[in-house]
Amino acid sequence: MELVYTLSGGAAYGYAHVGVLRYLEEWGLRPTAVVGTSMGAIVGGLYAYGYDSKQIQQVAEQVRSIEIVKLFFPSFPRGGIIDTDGIRDFFHGFIQDTLIEDLPIAYRSVAVDVNTGQQVIFDRGRLLDAMMASMSIPTVFKPYSFHGHQLIDGGVLNNLPWKVAEEFGRLHVVVDVAPKRREDTQRVLHASELIETAAEEKAKDEAKDEAKDEAKRQAAEKRRKEVSSQALSENQQSAFQKLEDRLTNGAFRIPLQKLVDTLQARETFAVKDLVNSFTRRPDHKAATLTLPEVITNVMAIINEQQTAEPEGGFLNTYAYIHPALEEYYLNDFNKSDEIIEQGYNEALTNPQFVQQVRKIAKKAGSR
């Protein structure tokens, strides 16, 4: 029977697809079709071309290491922060100009026409175009030009295209890596609640800081006593006391703090900071998000509204999994190995998913 994989969008979370694919390979499963959106379109495109999970992980490692700055270097083209030329050239090295209709595994990806708001399903033409159009996050990447149409990330309208996949068969594996928000997202918040919550968080942070300071003070006192217990000469004792007095009085601390304050007050733009914001985990206490973080989070909110879990039914059999990836950030592209491993472990230990995969494997005749 025909087996179809559906892979959702989810920025760096999409690396988890690779781990799930590795688990499915261990079952001896091979799809007859792959359908994906955004990062799912990228991973799915490489898989449909013929790369296995191990090889796709090697591609991800290249993105993580030497290629990341080149791929995400801001060029400020019309319509976005980053031109997709570097990313397109990178993937061209792996799939060349292969046509969708010539792939060993059937493939579909989803994009959106930014001018008309219509969903665009790639069912023929260059695989490279299908992958690039589907991953073009609005404002981060300029819209992808395709035969006179300007296309953006398919997650805007259809982040988990399992309905598109139903044209290919009745056995389905659906991997959803889109971030899941709190269950009470529909509840309206009032400013008073935000103020109270912020005050509570501030009090907790202050208590933690005080505890850390006290621990440091006790450690310093312990070290001081240990030093004092040694047979120091009178001159050594005097020098030690003078140094301790200078530290206590802030002779060293105050100039250093002034330097830090001066640097933090500067509002000069650094391209390096923008590049790093795509790949580095921000400080959880940061008051503001970087531009790429804001855009990616907004896309995640939109994706959630456009992500419908498969309904199943009498004719179709679905194995659905949603890996828990909350400990990572959507822009953690430099943590591919960790996220891939998380996807694999989730597939391996999720009893409902394992049960459904076993059922699919039995029907597909692989085990």
Side-chain angles (χ1 to χ4, degrees), residues 61-360:
E61 289 172 353
Q62 289 194 40
V63 173
R64 184 186 63 183
S65 56
I66 61 174
E67 295 289 340
I68 193 71
V69 173
K70 182 177 74 174
L71 297 184
F72 290 96
F73 195 84
S75 55
F76 301 102
R78 179 174 297 179
I81 299 173
I82 301 172
D83 199 313
T84 52
D85 291 351
I87 304 173
R88 187 185 64 238
D89 292 344
F90 175 79
F91 284 115
H92 185 269
F94 294 96
I95 61 176
Q96 308 304 315
D97 292 313
T98 303
L99 301 178
I100 293 174
E101 49 267 40
D102 294 335
L103 293 171
I105 297 175
Y107 174 83
R108 298 288 185 271
S109 75
V110 178
V112 175
D113 188 318
V114 72
N115 290 312
T116 66
Q118 293 174 305
Q119 184 174 225
V120 178
I121 298 175
F122 277 85
D123 55 358
R124 58 173 298 186
R126 289 200 314 166
L127 172 62
L128 187 62
D129 290 330
M131 292 166 58
M132 295 304 303
S134 186
M135 61 144 280
S136 294
I137 301 174
T139 71
V140 171
F141 301 108
K142 74 173 185 180
Y144 193 77
S145 181
F146 181 77
H147 293 276
H149 293 262
Q150 302 299 308
L151 306 180
I152 59 174
D153 195 306
V156 172
L157 288 181
N158 191 355
N159 197 53
L160 187 64
W162 57 269
K163 289 185 178 180
V164 177
E166 287 189 332
E167 70 173 278
F168 291 107
R170 296 178 179 177
L171 299 180
H172 299 265
V173 174
V174 180
V175 187
D176 180 7
V177 298
K180 295 296 184 184
R181 305 287 166 171
R182 296 168 59 90
E183 295 180 358
D184 60 353
T185 51
Q186 300 302 315
R187 185 173 71 85
V188 176
L189 292 174
H190 293 84
S192 56
E193 294 178 78
L194 301 181
I195 294 171
E196 291 174 3
T197 301
E200 292 173 359
E201 292 297 324
K202 183 180 179 180
K204 290 180 181 178
D205 289 339
E206 289 176 348
K208 290 180 181 178
D209 292 340
E210 289 177 1
K212 290 180 181 178
D213 290 341
E214 177 61 20
K216 289 180 181 178
R217 189 194 65 76
Q218 291 180 1
E221 179 65 17
K222 181 180 179 181
R223 287 194 299 270
R224 190 188 68 78
K225 291 180 178 179
E226 290 174 351
V227 172
S228 298
S229 65
Q230 297 176 359
L232 296 177
S233 67
E234 184 175 338
N235 290 336
Q236 288 175 319
Q237 288 279 16
S238 177
F240 181 83
Q241 187 62 50
K242 288 180 180 179
L243 176 60
E244 186 177 48
D245 290 342
R246 294 186 70 186
L247 289 173
T248 303
N249 295 331
F252 293 157
R253 178 176 55 81
I254 294 175
L256 180 61
Q257 186 61 49
K258 287 183 177 179
L259 176 61
V260 172
D261 292 342
T262 300
L263 292 175
Q264 290 180 339
R266 296 181 61 182
E267 296 180 354
T268 54
F269 174 79
V271 170
K272 181 181 178 181
D273 292 339
L274 181 58
V275 174
N276 288 338
S277 68
F278 281 96
T279 58
R280 291 186 179 179
R281 173 172 295 193
D283 182 352
H284 73 284
K285 291 185 179 180
T288 59
L289 297 173
T290 64
L291 178 58
E293 290 165 0
V294 171
I295 296 171
T296 309
N297 285 343
V298 169
M299 274 298 299
I301 295 171
I302 294 173
N303 289 167
E304 184 180 8
Q305 302 303 316
Q306 305 301 330
T307 301
E309 295 182 13
E311 300 165 353
F314 178 74
L315 295 178
N316 297 307
T317 299
Y318 282 92
Y320 172 84
I321 187 170
H322 183 269
L325 302 166
E326 292 79 9
E327 65 179 287
Y328 300 100
Y329 285 82
L330 287 165
N331 290 341
D332 273 345
F333 290 100
N334 59 333
K335 298 182 181 295
S336 57
D337 284 349
E338 293 181 30
I339 298 175
I340 289 171
E341 200 62 29
Q342 181 71 9
Y344 174 79
N345 290 332
E346 288 276 342
L348 184 67
T349 59
N350 185 311
Q352 184 175 359
F353 182 70
V354 172
Q355 181 181 3
Q356 289 301 104
V357 168
R358 182 180 292 112
K359 185 184 300 183
I360 286 175

